[in-house]
Amino acid sequence: MTEKALSGIKVIDLSWNIAGPYCTKLLADYGAEIIKIEQPEIGDPSRLEGPFPNDVENINASGLYAFLNNNKHGITLNLKTERSASLLKALVKDADVLVENFSPGFLSGLGLGYENLKQINPKLVMTSISNFGQSGEYKDYKATELITQAMNGFVSQIGDKTREPLRAGGALRLTEYSAGTIAAASTLAAVLGRKKTNEGTHVDVSIAECGVIHMPYRNVQHSYTTCASFEDRYISMPSIEKCKDGYIGINLLSGQHWQDFCYMTEMYDWVEDPRFMEQYRRVEPGNKELFRARFDEWLMRHTKEEIIQLGIEWRIPITPVINFEEMLDFPQYKEREFFVKVNHPIMGEVEQPGPPFRLSETPWSIEKVAPLLGEDNKRVFGEILGYSEEEIQEMSAKGII
């Protein structure tokens, strides 16, 4: 088996839901050894989110959990017991990284914060992911994806200006995946930096701030008092448009793009019409309604495939809007073998998204499916920490693991 890029890096995963587990998933899929720690009997809350086969809830058959936790070893540990704290410390002694997303101060209250753990392992990199970061007025506030999106500016920029703002991406929880990605990158940066200092560090990741950095152009633009308003510049296109048999995405700018668009749609009389040549003029009262009426009529006379082919011919950025079922058979993804089949012991064969990036010499792969709850207790507590089978059974009976 080809050694992976992150082989040899040992990670303790105390995270749950999406942001933290996605961070450790990225590390695991490229070779890091992950020990995921969950609450006894309950497990990671994502085990309850599904989707479930045949819509039958099963904590060991959640599609979301399965995707986020491949290539990890799973154990259970009740951190609020004194014995569990000593077990965690024993695991930390030999770890490179610990990832957690509890509320700021929670682990410190148990004697398991960064200042405590670095006494055991000075080289430990501890990555803490929280809604608003480890400091500041909001650090102790609870939040959901909608709240962090509202705080980072996403919500204020989605939707029609005449109606209420919308959550970006619906229920896709974009900022949590974004935060997980940034947490993985920052964790690796800390591991690399450790080679210079020979010391670990505490990585502080704020989910809200991870959303803010996705809008650098808007942030910079609004730092100048003379900038154009959001409505003037962005309400027309890029946009999603309904056509004869579905939806397409189109990005229509100015200049040559506008001229080619007019030729593509046979709106020849508008090629040099000052009301529509510039993007900001297209959304002015009266102009917007004229443009929408004429373009909508053209769209409803053409299918997605016809419009896409016209876009290729006239070099207009157009894309099909495809659902998940269509995505599985989309030629580009099939040719790159992006979706992979995974044989799960309870769910059976399922398809999951594959590698977010490719490394030519150290390939991405799934070596182990997501663990059942407590699946690796015997291996970790027995083979790694040296406890006997009787001791493991006793700790389980006492609710420690």
Side-chain angles (χ1 to χ4, degrees):
M1 183 178 68
T2 304
E3 189 173 70
K4 294 186 178 181
L6 301 181
S7 294
I9 295 179
K10 297 181 179 181
V11 180
I12 306 300
D13 183 2
L14 284 176
S15 67
W16 37 279
N17 274 336
I18 291 178
Y22 188 64
C23 164
T24 51
K25 169 188 169 57
L26 292 174
L27 304 180
D29 289 351
Y30 288 94
E33 179 185 347
I34 312 289
I35 296 178
K36 180 178 177 68
I37 299 177
E38 303 178 70
Q39 293 185 68
E41 299 184 4
I42 300 173
D44 186 323
S46 67
R47 288 182 179 274
L48 300 177
E49 290 197 39
F52 302 102
N54 302 315
D55 292 328
V56 178
E57 187 175 297
N58 184 331
I59 62 173
N60 284 315
S62 159
L64 176 62
Y65 179 89
F67 168 67
L68 290 170
N69 294 283
N70 288 320
N71 290 324
K72 301 178 186 180
H73 300 287
I75 67 173
T76 52
L77 197 58
N78 181 357
L79 294 178
K80 293 184 178 180
T81 67
E82 186 176 339
R83 185 73 177 276
S84 295
S86 64
L87 291 170
L88 177 63
K89 290 177 180 178
L91 290 171
V92 165
K93 285 181 182 179
D94 193 36
D96 295 288
V97 174
L98 184 146
V99 177
E100 62 92 11
N101 61 344
F102 291 105
S103 299
F106 175 79
L107 287 178
S108 295
L110 299 177
L112 298 171
Y114 176 66
E115 294 300 322
N116 306 107
L117 298 181
K118 78 174 183 178
Q119 302 301 319
I120 301 169
N121 181 353
K123 294 184 179 181
L124 180 71
V125 170
M126 181 168 173
T127 299
S128 296
I129 306 169
S130 60
N131 293 311
F132 303 108
Q134 300 295 304
S135 61
E137 181 180 347
Y138 277 72
K139 71 180 180 67
D140 296 322
Y141 282 29
K142 306 297 184 183
T144 61
E145 164 86 355
L146 177 60
I147 291 171
T148 54
Q149 281 199 17
M151 287 286 290
N152 65 33
F154 267 34
V155 171
S156 67
Q157 297 176 65
I158 305 297
D160 193 305
K161 68 173 182 177
T162 63
R163 300 188 60 187
E164 68 279 359
L166 299 173
R167 174 181 177 177
L172 298 181
R173 296 161 79 169
L174 300 177
T175 55
E176 292 189 47
Y177 283 99
S178 169
T181 304
I182 293 170
S186 57
T187 298
L188 291 177
V191 171
L192 186 62
R194 186 177 60 187
K195 292 184 177 181
K196 298 179 180 180
T197 65
N198 207 32
E199 293 182 357
T201 190
H202 191 190
V203 179
D204 176 4
V205 179
S206 160
I207 295 175
E209 290 171 358
C210 288
V212 174
I213 65 172
H214 280 294
M215 299 176 287
Y217 178 69
R218 178 84 72 250
N219 295 335
V220 172
Q221 183 188 44
H222 283 297
S223 67
Y224 296 93
T225 57
T226 57
C227 70
S229 70
F230 169 75
E231 292 81 4
D232 287 341
R233 290 185 61 84
Y234 294 100
I235 201 164
S236 181
M237 290 183 183
S239 61
I240 303 299
E241 302 291 342
K242 183 174 176 59
C243 60
K244 188 175 183 179
D245 64 344
Y247 293 86
I248 55 98
I250 180 170
N251 191 4
L252 178 58
L253 302 176
S254 301
Q256 188 64 47
H257 258 183
W258 171 251
Q259 295 175 24
D260 292 340
F261 170 79
C262 288
Y263 290 130
M264 180 184 82
T265 56
E266 300 179 344
M267 300 180 188
Y268 305 115
D269 54 316
W270 278 2
V271 171
E272 296 184 357
D273 192 319
R275 296 175 299 173
F276 306 105
M277 290 176 65
E278 298 297 333
Q279 208 176 27
Y280 75 95
R281 294 294 304 278
R282 256 173 258 150
V283 297
E284 291 179 349
N287 296 348
K288 178 184 176 182
E289 289 72 22
L290 283 173
F291 174 78
R292 285 251 53 100
R294 192 168 183 182
F295 187 37
D296 287 346
E297 190 276 331
W298 182 88
L299 285 166
M300 297 310 297
R301 287 190 284 109
H302 294 81
T303 65
K304 286 192 294 185
E305 185 58 32
E306 290 171 346
I307 296 173
I308 290 165
Q309 290 305 314
L310 284 169
I312 294 172
E313 179 183 347
W314 290 99
R315 300 182 66 81
I316 302 296
I318 296 174
T319 181
V321 176
I322 56 179
N323 59 34
F324 190 76
E325 288 74 16
E326 294 171 323
M327 200 180 302
L328 291 173
D329 292 320
F330 199 65
Q332 173 68 10
Y333 296 134
K334 292 194 73 171
E335 186 175 337
R336 284 173 58 83
E337 298 179 336
F338 175 66
F339 290 99
V340 296
K341 295 186 187 307
V342 177
N343 287 307
H344 190 275
I346 294 181
M347 293 189 290
E349 186 177 85
V350 295
E351 286 194 77
Q352 296 178 345
F357 56 88
R358 319 293 173 95
L359 301 177
S360 63
E361 305 305 319
T362 51
W364 174 100
S365 64
I366 294 177
E367 309 291 343
K368 180 183 184 297
V369 299
L372 305 180
L373 184 59
E375 177 182 312
D376 298 294
N377 278 356
K378 287 185 178 180
R379 174 186 173 274
V380 173
F381 295 120
E383 297 177 21
I384 296 179
L385 296 185
Y387 287 91
S388 67
E389 186 170 342
E390 291 74 19
E391 288 174 313
I392 294 172
Q393 290 176 350
E394 179 187 356
M395 289 190 292
S396 177
K398 292 181 177 179
I400 297 170
I401 64 174

